[in-house]
Amino acid sequence: MAGKVTPMKVKLQAAISTYAAGGEVNVAALCREAGVSRKTFYKWAGRFVDDGSDWWKEQSRRPLRSPQQTAVDVEDAIVRFRKELGDEGLDHGATTIQWKLGQDPELHGRVPSVATVHRILRRRGLVVPAPRKRPKSSWRRFEAAAPNGRWQIDAMDWVVGTGTVQVLNVLDDHSRLLVGSTACRTATSEAAWAAFAAAATIWGLPAGVLSDNGLCFSGKLRGFEVLFEKNLRDVGVRPSTGRPYHPQTTGKVERFQQTLKRTEPRVWTCRRCRDL
């Protein structure tokens, strides 16, 4: 409605003039016809009574006074310290600038927070905003459609009473159930197959197995097939690997191992580990 004269605007102005003069106006019917609320009508009427012009235009909602607003001299000091510190080759971030403000006796009791200093620097064009990170909503999550649709397997180091061993963990990709965990002196292809076979004896064969490109799991990047891959194919299980240097592909078993390592460390000895 703002910006051009329309018959409805003329009708509204006439109704508002009548209402302001104390005349009778059917406000409800007029507002239905104009497509505005009665609250808006009374707001416009109040503006019309106050100054009589531009009653329909949206006005600034900024408060008349902001007691907590940073003073201009403080903002100027922030800009000055930013330049001085930068010219000297020193750190000139918001934290350092806040510390400098605290050393100035003229600004005693008026030092803003680090966040406020940063906002002022950004508003004055002295900080270039970093590009926004990729939103989590754009992440592509995947998991097997059902239990035993795919297993993930990985190896990690673990300290026992006799020293450091390696533990092969096998995790169901759908339910995140740990279907197998076997300790061995070294994670070889034979040890990986033994860990898988032990889990399959209890839980049945999965449709596929996902691993990283460790030599105990896959040799395709090196141009050959390891025992673990060959045995999987022989029993009808599809082996697959993530791309190099991308642990997110096997993220479920990696996350399980990270949680395990963050628990309170305990040095223990089991019968199997003593024999390693």
Side-chain angles (χ1 to χ4, degrees), residues 198-272:
T201 301
I202 301 173
W203 302 98
L205 289 173
V209 172
L210 176 64
S211 69
D212 58 22
N213 290 279
L215 190 56
C216 59
F217 304 125
S218 174
K220 68 178 184 180
L221 293 182
R222 303 162 181 87
F224 59 87
E225 192 172 64
V226 299
L227 176 69
F228 183 69
E229 291 175 300
K230 180 179 181 302
N231 288 349
L232 286 178
R233 296 187 193 279
D234 288 345
V235 297
V237 177
R238 183 181 66 257
S240 59
T241 60
R243 70 173 184 263
Y245 308 108
H246 193 266
Q248 293 89 334
T249 305
T250 54
K252 297 181 180 68
V253 68
E254 293 276 3
R255 186 65 182 86
F256 164 77
Q257 294 179 157
Q258 184 184 80
T259 301
L260 192 61
K261 290 177 180 178
R262 286 182 177 178
T263 58
E264 181 182 354
R266 296 183 177 91
V267 178
W268 50 272
T269 303
C270 67
R271 182 180 304 170
R272 177 177 296 178

Side-chain angles (χ1 to χ4, degrees), residues 63-166:
L64 298 178
R65 54 188 298 272
S66 302
Q68 302 301 321
Q69 184 177 4
T70 305
V72 176
D73 63 324
V74 177
E75 291 199 14
D76 292 340
I78 291 172
V79 174
R80 185 177 72 255
F81 287 140
R82 170 80 171 186
K83 185 177 186 308
E84 291 176 357
L85 291 169
D87 291 343
E88 295 174 9
L90 302 174
D91 177 78
H92 49 289
T95 303
T96 305
I97 292 174
Q98 187 202 42
W99 177 83
K100 289 284 289 183
L101 293 171
Q103 304 303 307
D104 191 335
E106 295 183 2
L107 302 177
H108 180 70
R110 297 191 296 150
V111 178
S113 67
V114 174
T116 299
V117 173
H118 182 77
R119 282 196 297 268
I120 292 171
L121 292 174
R122 188 170 56 186
R123 187 170 67 244
R124 294 288 189 99
L126 300 175
V127 172
V128 178
R132 296 188 63 182
K133 295 182 179 179
R134 179 179 174 182
K136 291 185 178 180
S137 60
S138 68
W139 292 1
R140 181 182 175 187
R141 187 177 184 276
F142 71 94
E143 68 179 16
N148 276 7
R150 179 173 54 241
W151 286 357
Q152 294 188 13
I153 185 171
D154 195 23
M156 72 173 191
D157 293 336
W158 191 260
V159 178
V160 297
T162 56
T164 301
V165 298
Q166 289 192 296

